[in-house]
Amino acid sequence: MNTIEYFKIESFSTVDGFGNRMVVFLNHCPYRCVYCHNPECWFKSKKKINVKKIIVEFEKTKEFYKNGGITLSGGEPLIQYDFCKELAKECKKRNINLCIDTSGYFFDKKKISKLLENDVFFLIDIKHTVKKWHKKITNKSNTNELKLINFLEQKKHKYWIRFVYAKKYTDQDINIKNIKKIISKLIFMERFEILPLHILAKEKYKSLGIKYKMNKENIPNSKEIENLKNFLDDKRVF
């Protein structure tokens, strides 16, 4: 049984997939996003967990989660693929919905197919549609999240997309126009979530001795968020 590092478990969440969910935040990530809300995932953790412990914790209050399930977040869960596959098999056996919140960095058709066989639901983070900006935001220039989205479309598998809206980082006209073009063609995307930047993680960075690059000027106001929704003009945008 695989044992992996994690940094927290959130017993009640309504924003990490549909319904009420238990969210397990795993350590390790190939990205260093400038707006990352969980920089503690970049480091090793003394806290360890396995599939059995997650299921036991979930089962304690499973009635509470009857309209939801378990979400793996992080960090990047798919860096621990074997663990994800093991948990997915166990969840399917017990009729528990499993969501994986991923950047798509470790996109691999065979591995994703194995997870789809076990009914995994994906929450996919679009970082940026332009490679040079993708690298500026994450330190990596690949846009594998778009490859994952295209693959799920081919498989006719439903999913959600999430997008951090940060001024001066993800709000360029070319990016927004690209996103509009992309989502207009997607059939199996159920929801496109706009996540307005916030700077609540500022103290985390300070305690970890990491420079925090975000500030108030990067936070979009309500009018800018509404303008973005109106421009995207899709009933699946939230």
Side-chain angles (χ1 to χ4, degrees), residues 10-14 18-23 57-69:
E10 197 170 292
S11 58
F12 174 70
S13 174
T14 58
F18 45 85
N20 298 331
R21 310 195 70 83
M22 182 178 86
V23 186
E57 284 301 310
F58 182 85
E59 294 283 355
K60 285 179 183 177
T61 52
K62 64 181 179 181
E63 286 305 309
F64 179 72
Y65 300 112
K66 62 183 178 181
N67 295 318

Side-chain angles (χ1 to χ4, degrees), residues 6-47:
Y6 77 104
F7 60 92
K8 72 175 177 179
I9 294 178
E10 197 170 292
S11 58
F12 174 70
S13 174
T14 58
V15 296
D16 295 283
F18 45 85
N20 298 331
R21 310 195 70 83
M22 182 178 86
V23 186
V24 184
F25 292 86
L26 306 182
N27 284 70
H28 306 301
C29 186
Y31 288 155
R32 292 295 181 267
C33 296
V34 292
Y35 49 64
C36 180
H37 186 56
N38 296 314
E40 59 267 54
C41 77
W42 300 347
F43 305 95
K44 289 184 69 65
S45 172
K46 293 179 180 178
K47 298 168 75 172

Side-chain angles (χ1 to χ4, degrees), residues 29-39 41-42 75 103 125-128 133-140 145 164 169-170 197 205 210-214:
C29 186
Y31 288 155
R32 292 295 181 267
C33 296
V34 292
Y35 49 64
C36 180
H37 186 56
N38 296 314
C41 77
W42 300 347
S103 66
D125 302 315
I126 284 188
K127 305 297 184 181
H128 207 290
W133 275 99
H134 198 288
K135 186 169 185 178
K136 185 173 182 178
I137 292 167
T138 69
N139 88 331
K140 304 285 185 181
E145 59 265 47
V164 175
Y169 283 91
T170 65
L197 176 80
Y205 281 79
I210 305 171
K211 183 180 179 181
Y212 190 49
K213 297 179 180 180
M214 297 293 97

Side-chain angles (χ1 to χ4, degrees), residues 1 81-82 106-107 112 150 160 166 182 185 212 224 226:
M1 183 172 286
Y81 170 74
D82 289 339
F106 293 102
F107 172 69
I112 297 299
N150 289 334
W160 287 9
I182 289 166
K185 297 177 181 178
Y212 190 49
E224 289 166 331
E226 194 60 32

Side-chain angles (χ1 to χ4, degrees), residues 3-234:
T3 299
I4 61 168
E5 298 173 30
Y6 77 104
F7 60 92
K8 72 175 177 179
I9 294 178
E10 197 170 292
S11 58
F12 174 70
S13 174
T14 58
V15 296
D16 295 283
F18 45 85
N20 298 331
R21 310 195 70 83
M22 182 178 86
V23 186
V24 184
F25 292 86
L26 306 182
N27 284 70
H28 306 301
C29 186
Y31 288 155
R32 292 295 181 267
C33 296
V34 292
Y35 49 64
C36 180
H37 186 56
N38 296 314
E40 59 267 54
C41 77
W42 300 347
F43 305 95
K44 289 184 69 65
S45 172
K46 293 179 180 178
K47 298 168 75 172
K48 301 287 180 68
I49 200 164
N50 57 31
V51 167
K52 183 178 179 180
K53 287 181 181 179
I54 289 176
I55 296 297
V56 167
E57 284 301 310
F58 182 85
E59 294 283 355
K60 285 179 183 177
T61 52
K62 64 181 179 181
E63 286 305 309
F64 179 72
Y65 300 112
K66 62 183 178 181
N67 295 318
I70 298 171
T71 297
L72 290 182
S73 189
E76 170 51 66
L78 292 181
I79 201 170
Q80 311 281 1
Y81 170 74
D82 289 339
F83 176 85
C84 292
K85 184 173 69 172
E86 185 181 333
L87 179 60
K89 286 181 179 179
E90 195 62 34
C91 284
K92 184 174 183 179
K93 212 185 296 182
R94 296 168 180 266
N95 199 30
I96 299 170
N97 173 262
L98 176 65
C99 287
I100 294 181
D101 184 2
T102 179
S103 66
Y105 180 84
F106 293 102
F107 172 69
D108 179 285
K109 288 183 179 180
K110 288 183 179 179
K111 289 182 177 180
I112 297 299
S113 293
K114 287 291 182 183
L115 295 175
L116 295 183
E117 287 173 10
N118 290 290
D119 302 327
V120 169
F121 191 91
F122 288 96
L123 311 176
I124 305 166
D125 302 315
I126 284 188
K127 305 297 184 181
H128 207 290
T129 60
V130 179
K131 287 190 175 184
K132 68 176 183 179
W133 275 99
H134 198 288
K135 186 169 185 178
K136 185 173 182 178
I137 292 167
T138 69
N139 88 331
K140 304 285 185 181
S141 60
N142 80 81
T143 51
N144 283 354
E145 59 265 47
L146 302 181
K147 293 179 182 178
L148 174 56
I149 289 167
N150 289 334
F151 184 68
L152 294 180
E153 285 287 318
Q154 292 169 21
K155 292 292 185 179
K156 300 181 179 180
H157 193 83
K158 295 177 181 178
Y159 58 93
W160 287 9
I161 292 176
R162 309 173 100 186
F163 170 65
V164 175
Y165 186 36
K167 292 169 68 173
K168 299 187 178 181
Y169 283 91
T170 65
D171 66 339
Q172 299 86 358
D173 286 347
I174 187 172
N175 191 38
I176 301 305
K177 287 177 181 178
N178 284 346
I179 287 173
K180 181 180 174 71
K181 185 176 180 181
I182 289 166
I183 68 174
S184 69
K185 297 177 181 178
L186 300 178
I187 298 171
F188 297 96
M189 179 192 76
E190 287 193 329
R191 185 180 181 103
F192 183 93
E193 287 192 310
I194 297 171
L195 306 177
L197 176 80
H198 60 71
I199 56 174
L200 299 178
K202 187 175 181 179
E203 290 304 313
K204 288 185 185 181
Y205 281 79
K206 186 176 179 180
S207 67
L208 292 168
I210 305 171
K211 183 180 179 181
Y212 190 49
K213 297 179 180 180
M214 297 293 97
N215 53 56
K216 290 181 179 180
E217 70 176 13
N218 301 119
I219 301 174
N221 59 42
S222 58
K223 185 177 180 180
E224 289 166 331
I225 295 165
E226 194 60 32
N227 287 342
L228 174 59
K229 289 180 180 179
N230 290 335
F231 177 77
L232 294 177
D233 189 27
D234 190 303

